[in-house]
Amino acid sequence: MPSSSGLRQCVRDVSPYLILLIAISTLGPLQFGFHLAELNAPQDVISCRVHQSTSASLSSRLSSALSFASSTPHENQVTTSSALPDCVPMDDAQFAVVSSMFTLGGLAGALGSGPIASARGRLLAMRLTSLFYAAGSVVETLGSSIAMLAVGRVLSGVGAGAATVIVPIYISEVAPPRERGTFGAMTQVSINVGILATQTMGYFLSYGAAWRWILAAGILVAAAHGAGLLLVPESPAWLAANRSPAQARRVLQRIRGHHYDVAEETAAWDHGVTPDVAPEEEGLLGEPAPVAPPSPRRASDASKASAKNGGGQHLGFLEVVRDPLYRPALVAAVGVMCAQQLCGINSIIMYSVSLLRDLLPVSSALLTILISAINLVTTVACSPLPDKLGRRACLLLSIFGQGASALALALSILFGAKILSAVAVLFFVAFFAVGLGPVPFILASELVGQEAVGATQSCCLGANYVATFLVAQFFPIINVALNERFGGAGWVYFIFTALAVLCGLFVLWRVPETKGKKDADEVWGRTRRLD
């Protein structure tokens, strides 16, 4: 009965208070998903490209339930507020700028939040993210120009970038060791919940000035997040390292419950060691932590490099780049992180409604909701696959599946096979969850030793946001240019097909398998075990 025993152990380890902490803290990543996709469904309404009469079917769904939905003809609903316009005129390039500002803010937030979380604590950093989320949502909701919308997106992006760094660290430090992987998956799950929520709202509120209610919902979520954080304690691991182990022990006991024995988790705290913080997390925080000296079982060049740099010293970014020992790992980790975005997932998450309108047998907004739901379900269902099939196998399966789906989508759009187009979009998203979704965030800490993991992880994070910006900024521009040049639509997905082929070849040639390997030396075949 191992499964029932494991379930009983999980129930004993997890207290209601811990569930509350996880629920509140994951509102940060949830808002990341919310703001990432908030402009997708109402894009044409926001940018004044759709007249109100074309949105009558959407408005009629809410006219009986919402007081602000008038029974007069839609031509008279051009303005619902004396202060705010119904839309902000934008072409595709301008809208792409507004959308991509979110990723630039995310890059700044991700890189800037680490030192704050390290010096002042995880809790303060999370509270700051809620302030940025709220400020960004307010500016976006009241936005009457391209500049205001862009500024709001930047502010929301700063909160989102910081949340993607801080919340996974906080969860890993409050979750029981045996359930850390399960609770760690809640970050990605909550992102997908946020995407699904905003796509659903967009389906019903993409008309007139109602799109502002979508953005205003972000204010409510940010306020709930900020209020909930008043109930959240500081991370016990951070308290043990920076303040008092006794205080940290009291906080941990409260999180675990009064009948839980925390002695095993806290044993190392009195000796000034905080084992609950993973090395890659410390790299994101920007504050090196002591690491154990190389094991006598390591007789590789990597161990010599670590010893050369002082054994317990973390290497800086320039040191990692210049050292040929780490260069293959850096190339592999950054390449996989870029492949995550260059295979095109955010072309669907951010632009699916405008891209697929008039091409599919169902409403593109409704299909987007289904896409988001499938993204959520497949993320949960596929989370065990990297540990079962291997990281490299999952990456190749995911890239192959996305490439094949992109090819099918391009051909089906060109030849008017609408059913096939809808199916191709759904498979495109489902294959992303198999490998390209979770695996890139795992690899960095497995491809290098502890002495270089901080610099490698930080570089990967920056590369991810840069690649996201490139897709968000240039996808709609290239899509329009190709459609005008060759006629028809769907040509851009031939580019994603080609990129998937290149990314697959890159993984085959440059990315080793890390499943079941004890350290980076074994991953790269640089060690001979003496035991």
Side-chain angles (χ1 to χ4, degrees), residues 369-447:
I369 296 176
L370 181 58
I371 289 170
S372 301
I374 289 179
N375 191 19
L376 175 60
V377 172
T378 51
T379 297
V380 175
C382 295
S383 56
L385 288 183
D387 285 330
K388 293 185 177 181
L389 301 181
R391 281 65 156 145
R392 190 166 180 262
C394 284
L395 283 173
L396 291 172
L397 179 61
S398 181
I399 292 171
F400 171 80
Q402 278 201 273
S405 299
L407 179 60
L409 180 58
L411 293 174
S412 61
I413 291 176
L414 282 176
F415 292 103
K418 296 184 175 182
I419 296 294
L420 180 58
S421 297
V423 173
V425 169
L426 298 180
F427 273 100
F428 187 86
V429 173
F431 273 111
F432 175 78
V434 173
L436 280 176
V439 172
F441 297 103
I442 301 173
L443 277 182
S445 61
E446 297 179 333
L447 290 175

Side-chain angles (χ1 to χ4, degrees), residues 233-295:
E234 182 55 82
S235 158
W238 186 86
L239 289 173
N242 295 275
R243 292 188 182 172
S244 165
Q247 181 185 2
R249 191 175 293 104
R250 288 194 298 270
V251 172
L252 183 62
Q253 189 69 69
R254 183 186 176 196
I255 294 174
R256 296 286 181 266
H258 295 298
H259 302 292
Y260 189 96
D261 185 4
V262 299
E264 182 179 352
E265 290 187 63
T266 63
W269 289 355
D270 293 324
H271 302 288
V273 182
T274 55
D276 289 320
V277 183
E280 65 272 19
E281 295 162 357
E282 286 297 338
L284 293 177
L285 294 177
E287 182 175 289
V291 295
S295 166

